[in-house]
Amino acid sequence: VIAGPPEEEKVQVQAAKRGNKAVTIVRGLTSPMEDRKRLLKEMKGKLGGGGTLVDGVLELQGSHAEKVLVLLKSKGFSLAKMVGK
């Protein structure tokens, strides 16, 4: 998959549960894995929590969907939207 500019990526942000814990999931990124790792590291620093990259999907500990959406839009992901609850 060839990554387009961020404003063309249809990124989805979702608040979910993993057992008893709240997580925020970011799907739809088509950027290279190195860029996703950098974005994850920045988000973890700004949100003060942990997170991981699983099969190209970012998972952040805690319920941070609104903050993640604002951060993505500030980075140029204008098509980013919240899905689910």
Side-chain angles (χ1 to χ4, degrees):
V1 176
I2 296 177
E7 58 273 5
E8 293 178 6
E9 292 192 43
K10 293 183 178 165
V11 180
Q12 298 178 339
V13 179
Q14 178 182 16
K17 292 247 184 211
R18 287 276 187 270
N20 206 15
K21 309 271 184 186
V23 294
T24 303
I25 301 170
V26 182
R27 289 190 176 90
L29 292 168
T30 58
S31 51
M33 280 300 189
E34 286 305 312
D35 291 349
R36 293 182 210 189
K37 287 178 185 175
R38 267 194 296 279
L39 182 61
L40 176 64
K41 185 172 183 169
E42 181 180 342
M43 285 181 178
K44 287 176 5 181
K46 289 195 185 229
L47 299 172
T52 187
L53 189 59
V54 180
D55 295 329
V57 175
L58 278 62
E59 290 190 8
L60 297 152
Q61 294 174 352
S63 183
H64 302 291
E66 293 86 8
K67 294 176 192 169
V68 168
L69 194 60
V70 169
L71 181 66
L72 286 170
K73 290 196 182 236
S74 73
K75 293 231 162 257
F77 293 92
S78 56
L79 295 179
K81 65 178 181 177
M82 211 163 333
V83 296
K85 296 179 184 177

